[in-house]
Amino acid sequence: LICLENKPPSWNDEVGAYVLNFNGRVTQASVKNFQLCEQNDEQNQFMQFGRTGKDEFSLDVQWPMSLYQAFAVALSSFDSKLGCD
């Protein structure tokens, strides 16, 4: 069993906001953007999900998560954030 959590964003003085580094995979700011990592290891993300266009998103996943699990987590992010954008 592995326990994952949202990676906390870091403050960026240039932008004046909290940001996550998606290494160019996510191109638009959104409340739906997130990265999952182990509780005690924020450097290794197992999943990242973020907006790339008006109705387009990018989903990256690696073991130990399956594509099925990652897709389910990504879909669940839409349910709790409807109307936030």
Side-chain angles (χ1 to χ4, degrees), residues 48-80:
Q48 65 180 18
F49 179 73
R51 185 181 295 271
T52 58
K54 184 178 184 294
D55 293 319
E56 296 175 357
F57 294 85
S58 171
L59 172 63
D60 300 319
V61 63
Q62 70 177 12
W63 187 89
M65 291 188 77
S66 70
L67 289 173
Y68 182 78
Q69 291 168 321
F71 187 66
V73 171
L75 284 179
S76 71
S77 76
F78 286 99
D79 184 46
S80 63

PDB file of all heavy atoms in Angstrom, residues 48-80:
ATOM      1  N   GLN A  48       0.804  13.378 -12.770  1.00  0.00           N
ATOM      2  CA  GLN A  48       0.535  14.806 -12.896  1.00  0.00           C
ATOM      3  C   GLN A  48      -0.564  15.008 -13.925  1.00  0.00           C
ATOM      4  O   GLN A  48      -0.665  14.272 -14.904  1.00  0.00           O
ATOM      5  CB  GLN A  48       1.786  15.611 -13.229  1.00  0.00           C
ATOM      6  CG  GLN A  48       2.425  15.355 -14.552  1.00  0.00           C
ATOM      7  CD  GLN A  48       3.658  16.247 -14.738  1.00  0.00           C
ATOM      8  OE1 GLN A  48       4.220  16.794 -13.802  1.00  0.00           O
ATOM      9  NE2 GLN A  48       4.073  16.389 -15.980  1.00  0.00           N
ATOM     10  N   PHE A  49      -1.396  15.980 -13.647  1.00  0.00           N
ATOM     11  CA  PHE A  49      -2.564  16.250 -14.471  1.00  0.00           C
ATOM     12  C   PHE A  49      -2.726  17.759 -14.575  1.00  0.00           C
ATOM     13  O   PHE A  49      -2.616  18.466 -13.569  1.00  0.00           O
ATOM     14  CB  PHE A  49      -3.809  15.634 -13.814  1.00  0.00           C
ATOM     15  CG  PHE A  49      -5.084  15.863 -14.564  1.00  0.00           C
ATOM     16  CD1 PHE A  49      -5.344  15.186 -15.745  1.00  0.00           C
ATOM     17  CD2 PHE A  49      -6.034  16.747 -14.088  1.00  0.00           C
ATOM     18  CE1 PHE A  49      -6.529  15.398 -16.434  1.00  0.00           C
ATOM     19  CE2 PHE A  49      -7.220  16.956 -14.759  1.00  0.00           C
ATOM     20  CZ  PHE A  49      -7.463  16.275 -15.938  1.00  0.00           C
ATOM     21  N   GLY A  50      -2.938  18.259 -15.786  1.00  0.00           N
ATOM     22  CA  GLY A  50      -3.089  19.693 -15.923  1.00  0.00           C
ATOM     23  C   GLY A  50      -3.651  20.121 -17.259  1.00  0.00           C
ATOM     24  O   GLY A  50      -3.663  19.372 -18.234  1.00  0.00           O
ATOM     25  N   ARG A  51      -4.096  21.355 -17.289  1.00  0.00           N
ATOM     26  CA  ARG A  51      -4.739  21.947 -18.462  1.00  0.00           C
ATOM     27  C   ARG A  51      -3.696  22.331 -19.513  1.00  0.00           C
ATOM     28  O   ARG A  51      -2.686  22.950 -19.204  1.00  0.00           O
ATOM     29  CB  ARG A  51      -5.534  23.180 -18.045  1.00  0.00           C
ATOM     30  CG  ARG A  51      -6.350  23.804 -19.153  1.00  0.00           C
ATOM     31  CD  ARG A  51      -7.100  25.031 -18.674  1.00  0.00           C
ATOM     32  NE  ARG A  51      -8.115  24.732 -17.677  1.00  0.00           N
ATOM     33  CZ  ARG A  51      -9.375  24.419 -17.965  1.00  0.00           C
ATOM     34  NH1 ARG A  51      -9.769  24.367 -19.218  1.00  0.00           N
ATOM     35  NH2 ARG A  51     -10.236  24.168 -17.015  1.00  0.00           N
ATOM     36  N   THR A  52      -4.000  21.991 -20.767  1.00  0.00           N
ATOM     37  CA  THR A  52      -3.131  22.377 -21.890  1.00  0.00           C
ATOM     38  C   THR A  52      -3.882  23.231 -22.911  1.00  0.00           C
ATOM     39  O   THR A  52      -3.273  23.776 -23.811  1.00  0.00           O
ATOM     40  CB  THR A  52      -2.554  21.139 -22.608  1.00  0.00           C
ATOM     41  OG1 THR A  52      -3.626  20.326 -23.062  1.00  0.00           O
ATOM     42  CG2 THR A  52      -1.672  20.339 -21.674  1.00  0.00           C
ATOM     43  N   GLY A  53      -5.196  23.319 -22.791  1.00  0.00           N
ATOM     44  CA  GLY A  53      -6.024  24.102 -23.701  1.00  0.00           C
ATOM     45  C   GLY A  53      -7.377  24.338 -23.071  1.00  0.00           C
ATOM     46  O   GLY A  53      -7.630  23.922 -21.939  1.00  0.00           O
ATOM     47  N   LYS A  54      -8.268  24.990 -23.814  1.00  0.00           N
ATOM     48  CA  LYS A  54      -9.595  25.310 -23.260  1.00  0.00           C
ATOM     49  C   LYS A  54     -10.306  24.061 -22.747  1.00  0.00           C
ATOM     50  O   LYS A  54     -10.832  24.048 -21.643  1.00  0.00           O
ATOM     51  CB  LYS A  54     -10.451  26.004 -24.319  1.00  0.00           C
ATOM     52  CG  LYS A  54     -11.809  26.451 -23.802  1.00  0.00           C
ATOM     53  CD  LYS A  54     -12.603  27.182 -24.859  1.00  0.00           C
ATOM     54  CE  LYS A  54     -13.908  27.711 -24.323  1.00  0.00           C
ATOM     55  NZ  LYS A  54     -14.865  26.717 -23.920  1.00  0.00           N
ATOM     56  N   ASP A  55     -10.331  23.005 -23.535  1.00  0.00           N
ATOM     57  CA  ASP A  55     -10.969  21.745 -23.142  1.00  0.00           C
ATOM     58  C   ASP A  55      -9.997  20.582 -23.284  1.00  0.00           C
ATOM     59  O   ASP A  55     -10.416  19.456 -23.590  1.00  0.00           O
ATOM     60  CB  ASP A  55     -12.220  21.488 -23.997  1.00  0.00           C
ATOM     61  CG  ASP A  55     -13.321  22.499 -23.729  1.00  0.00           C
ATOM     62  OD1 ASP A  55     -13.533  22.830 -22.545  1.00  0.00           O
ATOM     63  OD2 ASP A  55     -13.953  22.962 -24.691  1.00  0.00           O
ATOM     64  N   GLU A  56      -8.715  20.826 -23.091  1.00  0.00           N
ATOM     65  CA  GLU A  56      -7.695  19.779 -23.250  1.00  0.00           C
ATOM     66  C   GLU A  56      -6.837  19.691 -21.997  1.00  0.00           C
ATOM     67  O   GLU A  56      -6.487  20.712 -21.398  1.00  0.00           O
ATOM     68  CB  GLU A  56      -6.808  20.077 -24.454  1.00  0.00           C
ATOM     69  CG  GLU A  56      -7.552  20.063 -25.768  1.00  0.00           C
ATOM     70  CD  GLU A  56      -6.667  20.483 -26.935  1.00  0.00           C
ATOM     71  OE1 GLU A  56      -5.497  20.845 -26.710  1.00  0.00           O
ATOM     72  OE2 GLU A  56      -7.164  20.461 -28.056  1.00  0.00           O
ATOM     73  N   PHE A  57      -6.500  18.452 -21.634  1.00  0.00           N
ATOM     74  CA  PHE A  57      -5.704  18.203 -20.441  1.00  0.00           C
ATOM     75  C   PHE A  57      -4.622  17.180 -20.747  1.00  0.00           C
ATOM     76  O   PHE A  57      -4.756  16.377 -21.665  1.00  0.00           O
ATOM     77  CB  PHE A  57      -6.593  17.696 -19.298  1.00  0.00           C
ATOM     78  CG  PHE A  57      -7.577  18.718 -18.815  1.00  0.00           C
ATOM     79  CD1 PHE A  57      -8.794  18.879 -19.452  1.00  0.00           C
ATOM     80  CD2 PHE A  57      -7.270  19.534 -17.752  1.00  0.00           C
ATOM     81  CE1 PHE A  57      -9.698  19.832 -19.027  1.00  0.00           C
ATOM     82  CE2 PHE A  57      -8.169  20.494 -17.308  1.00  0.00           C
ATOM     83  CZ  PHE A  57      -9.382  20.648 -17.953  1.00  0.00           C
ATOM     84  N   SER A  58      -3.571  17.216 -19.950  1.00  0.00           N
ATOM     85  CA  SER A  58      -2.467  16.263 -20.065  1.00  0.00           C
ATOM     86  C   SER A  58      -2.442  15.411 -18.802  1.00  0.00           C
ATOM     87  O   SER A  58      -2.561  15.935 -17.688  1.00  0.00           O
ATOM     88  CB  SER A  58      -1.144  17.027 -20.219  1.00  0.00           C
ATOM     89  OG  SER A  58      -0.054  16.143 -20.128  1.00  0.00           O
ATOM     90  N   LEU A  59      -2.260  14.099 -18.972  1.00  0.00           N
ATOM     91  CA  LEU A  59      -2.186  13.168 -17.849  1.00  0.00           C
ATOM     92  C   LEU A  59      -0.924  12.342 -18.010  1.00  0.00           C
ATOM     93  O   LEU A  59      -0.761  11.643 -18.998  1.00  0.00           O
ATOM     94  CB  LEU A  59      -3.424  12.265 -17.818  1.00  0.00           C
ATOM     95  CG  LEU A  59      -3.423  11.112 -16.812  1.00  0.00           C
ATOM     96  CD1 LEU A  59      -3.368  11.649 -15.384  1.00  0.00           C
ATOM     97  CD2 LEU A  59      -4.648  10.245 -17.006  1.00  0.00           C
ATOM     98  N   ASP A  60      -0.009  12.428 -17.045  1.00  0.00           N
ATOM     99  CA  ASP A  60       1.209  11.634 -17.028  1.00  0.00           C
ATOM    100  C   ASP A  60       1.179  10.748 -15.795  1.00  0.00           C
ATOM    101  O   ASP A  60       0.832  11.206 -14.703  1.00  0.00           O
ATOM    102  CB  ASP A  60       2.453  12.526 -16.979  1.00  0.00           C
ATOM    103  CG  ASP A  60       2.550  13.447 -18.180  1.00  0.00           C
ATOM    104  OD1 ASP A  60       2.253  12.988 -19.294  1.00  0.00           O
ATOM    105  OD2 ASP A  60       2.908  14.621 -17.997  1.00  0.00           O
ATOM    106  N   VAL A  61       1.563   9.495 -15.960  1.00  0.00           N
ATOM    107  CA  VAL A  61       1.507   8.536 -14.852  1.00  0.00           C
ATOM    108  C   VAL A  61       2.679   7.576 -14.954  1.00  0.00           C
ATOM    109  O   VAL A  61       3.182   7.315 -16.049  1.00  0.00           O
ATOM    110  CB  VAL A  61       0.157   7.777 -14.855  1.00  0.00           C
ATOM    111  CG1 VAL A  61      -0.024   6.957 -16.111  1.00  0.00           C
ATOM    112  CG2 VAL A  61       0.004   6.924 -13.626  1.00  0.00           C
ATOM    113  N   GLN A  62       3.126   7.092 -13.817  1.00  0.00           N
ATOM    114  CA  GLN A  62       4.172   6.066 -13.793  1.00  0.00           C
ATOM    115  C   GLN A  62       3.869   5.068 -12.680  1.00  0.00           C
ATOM    116  O   GLN A  62       3.066   5.330 -11.794  1.00  0.00           O
ATOM    117  CB  GLN A  62       5.552   6.689 -13.602  1.00  0.00           C
ATOM    118  CG  GLN A  62       5.812   7.281 -12.249  1.00  0.00           C
ATOM    119  CD  GLN A  62       7.228   7.811 -12.121  1.00  0.00           C
ATOM    120  OE1 GLN A  62       7.942   7.940 -13.093  1.00  0.00           O
ATOM    121  NE2 GLN A  62       7.629   8.121 -10.907  1.00  0.00           N
ATOM    122  N   TRP A  63       4.523   3.925 -12.758  1.00  0.00           N
ATOM    123  CA  TRP A  63       4.361   2.886 -11.754  1.00  0.00           C
ATOM    124  C   TRP A  63       4.669   3.472 -10.397  1.00  0.00           C
ATOM    125  O   TRP A  63       5.573   4.291 -10.295  1.00  0.00           O
ATOM    126  CB  TRP A  63       5.322   1.724 -12.067  1.00  0.00           C
ATOM    127  CG  TRP A  63       5.115   0.536 -11.194  1.00  0.00           C
ATOM    128  CD1 TRP A  63       4.261  -0.501 -11.424  1.00  0.00           C
ATOM    129  CD2 TRP A  63       5.750   0.286  -9.945  1.00  0.00           C
ATOM    130  NE1 TRP A  63       4.325  -1.378 -10.391  1.00  0.00           N
ATOM    131  CE2 TRP A  63       5.241  -0.916  -9.458  1.00  0.00           C
ATOM    132  CE3 TRP A  63       6.687   0.958  -9.174  1.00  0.00           C
ATOM    133  CZ2 TRP A  63       5.631  -1.476  -8.262  1.00  0.00           C
ATOM    134  CZ3 TRP A  63       7.080   0.409  -7.973  1.00  0.00           C
ATOM    135  CH2 TRP A  63       6.558  -0.791  -7.528  1.00  0.00           C
ATOM    136  N   PRO A  64       3.933   3.184  -9.355  1.00  0.00           N
ATOM    137  CA  PRO A  64       3.042   2.050  -9.129  1.00  0.00           C
ATOM    138  C   PRO A  64       1.584   2.297  -9.498  1.00  0.00           C
ATOM    139  O   PRO A  64       0.744   1.441  -9.270  1.00  0.00           O
ATOM    140  CB  PRO A  64       3.176   1.803  -7.631  1.00  0.00           C
ATOM    141  CG  PRO A  64       3.380   3.155  -7.058  1.00  0.00           C
ATOM    142  CD  PRO A  64       4.201   3.890  -8.085  1.00  0.00           C
ATOM    143  N   MET A  65       1.241   3.440 -10.076  1.00  0.00           N
ATOM    144  CA  MET A  65      -0.144   3.678 -10.487  1.00  0.00           C
ATOM    145  C   MET A  65      -0.379   3.079 -11.859  1.00  0.00           C
ATOM    146  O   MET A  65       0.502   3.099 -12.716  1.00  0.00           O
ATOM    147  CB  MET A  65      -0.445   5.175 -10.538  1.00  0.00           C
ATOM    148  CG  MET A  65      -0.474   5.850  -9.186  1.00  0.00           C
ATOM    149  SD  MET A  65      -1.062   7.549  -9.298  1.00  0.00           S
ATOM    150  CE  MET A  65      -2.819   7.271  -9.459  1.00  0.00           C
ATOM    151  N   SER A  66      -1.572   2.575 -12.071  1.00  0.00           N
ATOM    152  CA  SER A  66      -1.953   2.083 -13.395  1.00  0.00           C
ATOM    153  C   SER A  66      -2.642   3.218 -14.152  1.00  0.00           C
ATOM    154  O   SER A  66      -3.059   4.227 -13.560  1.00  0.00           O
ATOM    155  CB  SER A  66      -2.903   0.891 -13.268  1.00  0.00           C
ATOM    156  OG  SER A  66      -4.159   1.312 -12.773  1.00  0.00           O
ATOM    157  N   LEU A  67      -2.782   3.051 -15.461  1.00  0.00           N
ATOM    158  CA  LEU A  67      -3.508   4.041 -16.255  1.00  0.00           C
ATOM    159  C   LEU A  67      -4.950   4.161 -15.778  1.00  0.00           C
ATOM    160  O   LEU A  67      -5.503   5.260 -15.734  1.00  0.00           O
ATOM    161  CB  LEU A  67      -3.472   3.665 -17.729  1.00  0.00           C
ATOM    162  CG  LEU A  67      -2.124   3.816 -18.425  1.00  0.00           C
ATOM    163  CD1 LEU A  67      -2.190   3.241 -19.835  1.00  0.00           C
ATOM    164  CD2 LEU A  67      -1.716   5.262 -18.460  1.00  0.00           C
ATOM    165  N   TYR A  68      -5.541   3.045 -15.432  1.00  0.00           N
ATOM    166  CA  TYR A  68      -6.924   3.028 -14.953  1.00  0.00           C
ATOM    167  C   TYR A  68      -7.059   3.864 -13.671  1.00  0.00           C
ATOM    168  O   TYR A  68      -7.972   4.685 -13.543  1.00  0.00           O
ATOM    169  CB  TYR A  68      -7.356   1.578 -14.707  1.00  0.00           C
ATOM    170  CG  TYR A  68      -8.776   1.432 -14.244  1.00  0.00           C
ATOM    171  CD1 TYR A  68      -9.830   1.516 -15.143  1.00  0.00           C
ATOM    172  CD2 TYR A  68      -9.081   1.195 -12.907  1.00  0.00           C
ATOM    173  CE1 TYR A  68     -11.148   1.379 -14.727  1.00  0.00           C
ATOM    174  CE2 TYR A  68     -10.384   1.061 -12.473  1.00  0.00           C
ATOM    175  CZ  TYR A  68     -11.415   1.156 -13.395  1.00  0.00           C
ATOM    176  OH  TYR A  68     -12.707   1.024 -12.973  1.00  0.00           O
ATOM    177  N   GLN A  69      -6.149   3.657 -12.715  1.00  0.00           N
ATOM    178  CA  GLN A  69      -6.193   4.412 -11.462  1.00  0.00           C
ATOM    179  C   GLN A  69      -5.992   5.907 -11.716  1.00  0.00           C
ATOM    180  O   GLN A  69      -6.699   6.750 -11.157  1.00  0.00           O
ATOM    181  CB  GLN A  69      -5.118   3.910 -10.500  1.00  0.00           C
ATOM    182  CG  GLN A  69      -5.381   2.527  -9.962  1.00  0.00           C
ATOM    183  CD  GLN A  69      -4.164   1.970  -9.248  1.00  0.00           C
ATOM    184  OE1 GLN A  69      -3.025   2.156  -9.675  1.00  0.00           O
ATOM    185  NE2 GLN A  69      -4.413   1.263  -8.150  1.00  0.00           N
ATOM    186  N   ALA A  70      -5.012   6.243 -12.560  1.00  0.00           N
ATOM    187  CA  ALA A  70      -4.715   7.648 -12.850  1.00  0.00           C
ATOM    188  C   ALA A  70      -5.897   8.324 -13.538  1.00  0.00           C
ATOM    189  O   ALA A  70      -6.237   9.468 -13.217  1.00  0.00           O
ATOM    190  CB  ALA A  70      -3.467   7.754 -13.712  1.00  0.00           C
ATOM    191  N   PHE A  71      -6.531   7.634 -14.470  1.00  0.00           N
ATOM    192  CA  PHE A  71      -7.682   8.204 -15.164  1.00  0.00           C
ATOM    193  C   PHE A  71      -8.828   8.440 -14.185  1.00  0.00           C
ATOM    194  O   PHE A  71      -9.502   9.475 -14.238  1.00  0.00           O
ATOM    195  CB  PHE A  71      -8.106   7.291 -16.314  1.00  0.00           C
ATOM    196  CG  PHE A  71      -9.171   7.887 -17.184  1.00  0.00           C
ATOM    197  CD1 PHE A  71      -8.913   9.013 -17.949  1.00  0.00           C
ATOM    198  CD2 PHE A  71     -10.432   7.318 -17.249  1.00  0.00           C
ATOM    199  CE1 PHE A  71      -9.899   9.575 -18.763  1.00  0.00           C
ATOM    200  CE2 PHE A  71     -11.424   7.866 -18.049  1.00  0.00           C
ATOM    201  CZ  PHE A  71     -11.152   8.990 -18.811  1.00  0.00           C
ATOM    202  N   ALA A  72      -9.046   7.505 -13.256  1.00  0.00           N
ATOM    203  CA  ALA A  72     -10.109   7.665 -12.261  1.00  0.00           C
ATOM    204  C   ALA A  72      -9.830   8.865 -11.356  1.00  0.00           C
ATOM    205  O   ALA A  72     -10.737   9.648 -11.050  1.00  0.00           O
ATOM    206  CB  ALA A  72     -10.242   6.391 -11.431  1.00  0.00           C
ATOM    207  N   VAL A  73      -8.583   9.037 -10.934  1.00  0.00           N
ATOM    208  CA  VAL A  73      -8.219  10.182 -10.095  1.00  0.00           C
ATOM    209  C   VAL A  73      -8.416  11.481 -10.873  1.00  0.00           C
ATOM    210  O   VAL A  73      -8.951  12.464 -10.352  1.00  0.00           O
ATOM    211  CB  VAL A  73      -6.770  10.056  -9.587  1.00  0.00           C
ATOM    212  CG1 VAL A  73      -6.313  11.334  -8.905  1.00  0.00           C
ATOM    213  CG2 VAL A  73      -6.631   8.871  -8.647  1.00  0.00           C
ATOM    214  N   ALA A  74      -7.997  11.498 -12.142  1.00  0.00           N
ATOM    215  CA  ALA A  74      -8.149  12.694 -12.973  1.00  0.00           C
ATOM    216  C   ALA A  74      -9.629  13.046 -13.144  1.00  0.00           C
ATOM    217  O   ALA A  74     -10.008  14.216 -13.021  1.00  0.00           O
ATOM    218  CB  ALA A  74      -7.492  12.481 -14.338  1.00  0.00           C
ATOM    219  N   LEU A  75     -10.466  12.054 -13.410  1.00  0.00           N
ATOM    220  CA  LEU A  75     -11.904  12.318 -13.544  1.00  0.00           C
ATOM    221  C   LEU A  75     -12.504  12.866 -12.258  1.00  0.00           C
ATOM    222  O   LEU A  75     -13.359  13.750 -12.284  1.00  0.00           O
ATOM    223  CB  LEU A  75     -12.649  11.043 -13.956  1.00  0.00           C
ATOM    224  CG  LEU A  75     -12.525  10.616 -15.402  1.00  0.00           C
ATOM    225  CD1 LEU A  75     -13.309   9.326 -15.632  1.00  0.00           C
ATOM    226  CD2 LEU A  75     -13.007  11.694 -16.339  1.00  0.00           C
ATOM    227  N   SER A  76     -12.041  12.350 -11.125  1.00  0.00           N
ATOM    228  CA  SER A  76     -12.591  12.810  -9.850  1.00  0.00           C
ATOM    229  C   SER A  76     -12.229  14.273  -9.580  1.00  0.00           C
ATOM    230  O   SER A  76     -12.931  14.956  -8.827  1.00  0.00           O
ATOM    231  CB  SER A  76     -12.114  11.928  -8.703  1.00  0.00           C
ATOM    232  OG  SER A  76     -10.737  12.144  -8.436  1.00  0.00           O
ATOM    233  N   SER A  77     -11.167  14.767 -10.188  1.00  0.00           N
ATOM    234  CA  SER A  77     -10.790  16.174  -9.974  1.00  0.00           C
ATOM    235  C   SER A  77     -11.801  17.118 -10.611  1.00  0.00           C
ATOM    236  O   SER A  77     -11.927  18.269 -10.198  1.00  0.00           O
ATOM    237  CB  SER A  77      -9.394  16.444 -10.497  1.00  0.00           C
ATOM    238  OG  SER A  77      -9.385  16.543 -11.903  1.00  0.00           O
ATOM    239  N   PHE A  78     -12.528  16.677 -11.613  1.00  0.00           N
ATOM    240  CA  PHE A  78     -13.549  17.506 -12.238  1.00  0.00           C
ATOM    241  C   PHE A  78     -14.786  17.651 -11.360  1.00  0.00           C
ATOM    242  O   PHE A  78     -15.411  18.683 -11.326  1.00  0.00           O
ATOM    243  CB  PHE A  78     -13.969  16.937 -13.590  1.00  0.00           C
ATOM    244  CG  PHE A  78     -12.952  17.142 -14.672  1.00  0.00           C
ATOM    245  CD1 PHE A  78     -12.085  16.124 -15.016  1.00  0.00           C
ATOM    246  CD2 PHE A  78     -12.853  18.357 -15.328  1.00  0.00           C
ATOM    247  CE1 PHE A  78     -11.143  16.315 -16.000  1.00  0.00           C
ATOM    248  CE2 PHE A  78     -11.907  18.548 -16.313  1.00  0.00           C
ATOM    249  CZ  PHE A  78     -11.053  17.533 -16.652  1.00  0.00           C
ATOM    250  N   ASP A  79     -15.130  16.615 -10.629  1.00  0.00           N
ATOM    251  CA  ASP A  79     -16.347  16.602  -9.832  1.00  0.00           C
ATOM    252  C   ASP A  79     -16.335  17.653  -8.732  1.00  0.00           C
ATOM    253  O   ASP A  79     -17.304  18.383  -8.554  1.00  0.00           O
ATOM    254  CB  ASP A  79     -16.567  15.215  -9.218  1.00  0.00           C
ATOM    255  CG  ASP A  79     -17.878  15.148  -8.456  1.00  0.00           C
ATOM    256  OD1 ASP A  79     -18.884  15.622  -9.001  1.00  0.00           O
ATOM    257  OD2 ASP A  79     -17.877  14.636  -7.328  1.00  0.00           O
ATOM    258  N   SER A  80     -15.220  17.776  -8.015  1.00  0.00           N
ATOM    259  CA  SER A  80     -15.201  18.664  -6.861  1.00  0.00           C
ATOM    260  C   SER A  80     -14.868  20.110  -7.235  1.00  0.00           C
ATOM    261  O   SER A  80     -14.906  20.981  -6.385  1.00  0.00           O
ATOM    262  CB  SER A  80     -14.187  18.157  -5.831  1.00  0.00           C
ATOM    263  OG  SER A  80     -12.897  18.185  -6.396  1.00  0.00           O
TER     264      SER A  80
END
